[in-house]
Amino acid sequence: MSLIVQKFGGSSVADAEHVNNVAGIVTDTYKKGNNVIVVVSAQGDTTDDLIEKANEINPNASKREKDMLLAAGEQISISLLAMAIEKLGYPVISLLGWQAGFQTTSAHTDARIKRVITDRIKKELDKKNIIIVAGFQGLSRYDDITTLGRGGSDTSAVALAAATHADLCQIYTDVEGVYTADPRKVNNAKKLSEISYDEMLELATLGAQVLHNRSVEMAKKYNLELEVLSSLTCAPGTIVKEVTNVEKMLISGVAKDTDIARISVVGVPDIPGLAFKLFSKMAAKGVNVDIILQSIGRDGTKDISFTVAKNKLDDTLEALNQFMPAVKAQKVVHDERVAKISIVGAGMETHAGVASKMFEALFDAQINIQMISTSEIKVSVLIDLADADRAVSAIHSKFFDEV
Ligand code: ADP
Ligand code: ASP
Ligand code: MG
């Protein structure tokens, strides 16, 4: 007998038909003699709809109240799935995040799981119950409901699998696995049979929403294999694990991130300590800075450009406005109509020319590069938002269609 954690995303439980389908998958697993813990997200677009409702009433609502609202989405889906399983005649219980023992930091809307206290889960498993847990939520030390950031149910599932020492953690979604690019945007994207934690972590962080990046980080930490697969076909999906058997591909995928803004501080004095002062202000505001580009000094001044997540743009501009007069910078300009396109692959550690191949694809498509950043296993470029989908397709074809 094994303990299996299965996670179902919003589209997998979007309506009654889908909920019944998931009930079938869960009870088939249970019938085979396994213990089953299920984590579910809110149905379909529920979380987006709730955010819209909040904005209608108060766009500046406190994060605590936003969490109180957003957590409601998962309460609906867990109870509906439990009802569908009850109807099939199996013992089942639904639990909210706090009931399942999820303790988090108090960083509302972006909380991190600190620990999962599994006493209740163990009791329910002893009773042979199928357990349905609300993903995406937990409880802070102040006994307030928290949420884990968009897409966070994946992380709930991985945390539960780690805490209960599950034998298998399956992430069911609306595509058949992890692909070389978003299969909804790139026609000939290929399904990967396996991918390493490091590559998956980069892809998830760089915009491939198929897995929440913290879920991959956690899976790597606990050396827990994940299987990403479709709740509609249940065909063998993609295994995310430490070392992959497949011959190292040059790159494993192309990702797009449009949740990004570029900021340029123009005409700052070309003296030591300027970057330190500027970026320590960002750090104090809790702003994570991504690609950084500094021009060569000319006539005693230089420009510093960098990117931040769109939801940090206001905080960033506010900090810069306070800071600008002190360093005698000329002006600050920003642009939200940008996208970051990245290629990820362990193969680039040992192969030269990967970046130039990416740049060639962009040149062929006549797409201008604004900024570039690289690490051992990724290359990212910042381009105009209007060119984003075309860029992904051009780069994908260059690496995967040409022999
Ligand atoms: P869920 O609701 O199941 O959590 P998500 O919408 O969060 O599902 O993630 C699945 C989606 O991720 C897919 O529908 C697909 O459009 C998108 N996606 C982006 N990049 C990739 C990729 N490289 N491989 C697979 N899916 C991807
Ligand atoms: N329902 C949450 C969201 O839409 C969590 C998740 O889907 O993982 O972000
Ligand atoms: Mg998701």
Side-chain angles (χ1 to χ4, degrees):
M1 187 179 59
S2 300
L3 171 59
I4 301 181
V5 172
Q6 299 181 321
K7 180 258 169 179
F8 295 90
S11 45
S12 300
V13 291
D15 53 27
E17 193 186 330
H18 283 83
V19 170
N20 285 326
N21 170 57
V22 168
I25 297 174
V26 171
T27 52
D28 280 350
T29 312
Y30 182 85
K31 262 192 297 206
K32 290 180 187 146
N34 300 301
N35 281 322
V36 191
I37 304 175
V38 181
V39 174
V40 268
S41 302
Q43 291 187 286
D45 297 329
T46 303
T47 309
D48 290 328
D49 295 345
L50 290 173
I51 292 173
E52 217 176 286
K53 273 189 203 302
N55 286 337
E56 264 170 38
I57 289 178
N58 179 3
N60 301 315
S62 67
K63 290 183 172 176
R64 184 203 180 271
E65 296 310 327
K66 282 185 187 160
D67 275 354
M68 195 57 122
L69 178 70
L70 293 194
E74 273 68 13
Q75 181 160 358
I76 297 174
S77 52
I78 54 167
S79 48
L80 291 176
L81 178 58
M83 290 172 194
I85 292 174
E86 258 176 22
K87 191 178 66 182
L88 296 176
Y90 292 88
V92 60
I93 184 161
S94 63
L95 299 175
L96 290 168
W98 67 267
Q99 292 175 299
F102 276 86
Q103 298 186 348
T104 74
T105 61
S106 46
H108 284 287
T109 73
D110 197 23
R112 280 174 184 262
I113 298 168
K114 289 207 291 197
R115 64 188 74 81
V116 186
I117 308 291
T118 54
D119 300 2
R120 177 72 186 269
I121 295 267
K122 282 187 185 134
K123 275 188 204 145
E124 300 302 339
L125 286 176
D126 288 344
K127 289 187 215 159
K128 291 282 157 226
N129 273 326
I130 296 173
I131 307 171
I132 317 289
V133 178
F136 179 54
Q137 55 175 260
L139 199 67
S140 74
R141 60 200 276 234
Y142 307 107
D143 281 351
D144 283 322
I145 303 285
T146 53
T147 66
L148 308 178
R150 297 305 305 272
S153 296
D154 299 327
T155 305
S156 308
V158 174
L160 256 183
T164 57
H165 307 288
D167 301 288
L168 184 61
C169 183
Q170 296 179 310
I171 309 287
Y172 285 88
T173 183
D174 56 358
V175 289
E176 288 194 357
V178 180
Y179 285 70
T180 50
D182 186 340
R184 298 190 185 285
K185 296 273 167 60
V186 176
N187 284 336
N188 51 351
K190 294 171 180 58
K191 184 166 81 180
L192 301 166
S193 56
E194 298 178 344
I195 184 167
S196 68
Y197 292 125
D198 288 338
E199 289 169 295
M200 190 64 237
L201 184 56
E202 287 283 8
L203 276 180
T205 306
L206 294 167
Q209 91 194 86
V210 63
L211 283 176
H212 193 226
N213 61 353
R214 284 189 198 153
S215 72
V216 186
E217 210 169 62
M218 200 176 291
K220 179 179 160 80
K221 183 169 165 193
Y222 293 99
N223 200 14
L224 191 85
E225 279 187 22
L226 306 179
E227 183 180 7
V228 181
L229 70 172
S230 157
S231 62
L232 290 177
T233 66
C234 295
T238 302
I239 306 289
V240 187
K241 59 185 210 176
E242 188 56 70
V243 192
T244 61
N245 297 326
V246 281
E247 204 179 310
K248 262 190 189 172
M249 288 200 279
L250 200 50
I251 70 163
S252 55
V254 186
K256 174 183 83 169
D257 183 0
T258 55
D259 176 30
I260 188 166
R262 178 172 52 81
I263 294 153
S264 299
V265 187
V266 180
V268 290
D270 188 19
I271 51 169
L274 221 290
F276 161 64
K277 283 186 193 152
L278 196 143
F279 291 113
S280 55
K281 286 276 176 280
M282 300 295 116
K285 275 265 177 193
V287 175
N288 221 341
V289 172
D290 189 21
I291 310 178
I292 301 175
L293 188 78
Q294 179 180 298
S295 69
I296 299 282
R298 209 175 353 163
D299 302 331
T301 66
K302 62 190 171 190
D303 305 337
I304 299 180
S305 302
F306 55 93
T307 60
V308 297
K310 264 190 188 133
N311 64 0
K312 294 288 184 186
L313 181 61
D314 290 347
D315 282 352
T316 308
L317 293 176
E318 197 180 303
L320 285 175
N321 283 337
Q322 291 165 4
F323 173 69
M324 289 264 296
V327 296
K328 300 195 178 67
Q330 285 161 9
K331 60 177 176 178
V332 173
V333 289
H334 69 271
D335 189 356
E336 289 181 73
R337 300 204 45 79
V338 292
K340 182 169 68 173
I341 311 295
S342 309
I343 54 173
V344 172
M348 59 180 91
E349 279 180 305
T350 44
H351 287 82
V354 177
S356 80
K357 199 165 170 174
M358 178 189 197
F359 303 154
E360 186 187 359
L362 292 167
F363 167 65
D364 291 346
Q366 285 295 295
I367 293 169
N368 190 39
I369 301 172
Q370 299 177 9
M371 290 168 122
I372 300 171
S373 94
T374 63
S375 77
E376 280 104 336
I377 63 164
K378 70 132 208 248
V379 182
S380 298
V381 294
L382 195 78
I383 60 167
D384 194 318
L385 180 63
D387 293 328
D389 287 336
R390 223 159 47 81
V392 172
S393 296
I395 295 166
H396 188 271
S397 313
K398 189 67 140 187
F399 283 95
F400 294 101
D401 297 351
E402 290 180 7
V403 192

